[in-house]
Amino acid sequence: MPSMYSFSVPVFQRGLQSLSAYLDQIEAYAAEKGIASEELVSARLIDDMLPLSGQFQRASDTAKLAIARLAGIDAPRFEDNETTVADLRERLKKTQDFLATVTPATMEGSDTREVTISPGGNKTVIKGEDYLAKFALPNFFFHVTTAHDILRSRGLPVGKMTYLGSFG
């Protein structure tokens, strides 16, 4: 039977790898079009949504906080002050480095561990398995998808396979 580890850490790692691939494409596109890459980092899908940098930050936060909550360990804290491709690349690296410290043994019992979250200021206690399936993963992919959509809306040739990442 698949474990909580297999449904969380590798899934987050793969999504973060896709975000990293977007950074490579941002740099190439900006150079080709003669624009500053920061213009894309600060781009929004619509005015009342977070910019691309915010989508990366929330995806990073969701991955590290979900794993920390499920494993009962502390997550690293980041300032949410990234404004460049290099800044976002470093944030993804720090998130990946944290995820690499987590083992299947670290996640044992996380399916039944109670997790407390406060979405929209409403405190909720939820079983780990439900937290991962019904909140953490959907939230993570919302932000990865929104990052993808921001880049597509700005003309970058990112496609489904960029989003899905490599299978290796």
Side-chain angles (χ1 to χ4, degrees), residues 12 15-16 19 50 52-66 91-92 95 99 136 139-145 147:
F12 290 133
L16 295 170
L19 289 175
L50 291 171
L52 183 72
S53 58
Q55 304 305 327
F56 274 69
Q57 291 160 354
R58 294 316 169 277
S60 164
D61 284 346
T62 300
K64 67 186 176 72
L65 291 172
R91 184 182 182 117
L92 293 179
T95 307
L99 294 178
N139 189 51
F140 178 75
F141 284 112
F142 171 85
H143 292 292
V144 175
T145 300

Side-chain angles (χ1 to χ4, degrees), residues 128-148:
E129 183 177 55
D130 289 333
Y131 166 70
L132 180 64
K134 297 175 183 175
F135 183 81
L137 288 173
N139 189 51
F140 178 75
F141 284 112
F142 171 85
H143 292 292
V144 175
T145 300
T146 303
H148 179 95

Side-chain angles (χ1 to χ4, degrees), residues 40-60:
L40 296 168
V41 171
S42 65
R44 296 172 186 266
L45 195 54
I46 194 159
D47 290 343
D48 67 349
M49 291 181 77
L50 291 171
L52 183 72
S53 58
Q55 304 305 327
F56 274 69
Q57 291 160 354
R58 294 316 169 277
S60 164

Side-chain angles (χ1 to χ4, degrees), residues 84-161:
T84 67
V85 167
D87 293 342
L88 291 173
R89 196 176 306 283
E90 179 60 23
R91 184 182 182 117
L92 293 179
K93 181 185 179 322
K94 290 188 296 188
T95 307
Q96 289 280 32
D97 289 348
F98 169 69
L99 294 178
T101 68
V102 178
T103 66
T106 309
M107 300 290 293
E108 285 182 15
S110 62
D111 57 329
T112 58
R113 179 173 283 119
E114 287 189 346
V115 174
T116 303
I117 57 174
S118 299
N122 300 314
K123 185 177 177 179
T124 302
V125 178
I126 187 170
K127 187 171 69 166
E129 183 177 55
D130 289 333
Y131 166 70
L132 180 64
K134 297 175 183 175
F135 183 81
L137 288 173
N139 189 51
F140 178 75
F141 284 112
F142 171 85
H143 292 292
V144 175
T145 300
T146 303
H148 179 95
D149 293 345
I150 289 170
L151 295 175
R152 287 287 296 149
S153 76
R154 295 300 188 265
L156 273 78
V158 295
K160 184 176 183 179
M161 292 313 296

Side-chain angles (χ1 to χ4, degrees), residues 26-35:
I26 288 169
E27 289 176 325
Y29 185 83
E32 175 189 325
K33 299 296 182 183
I35 61 173

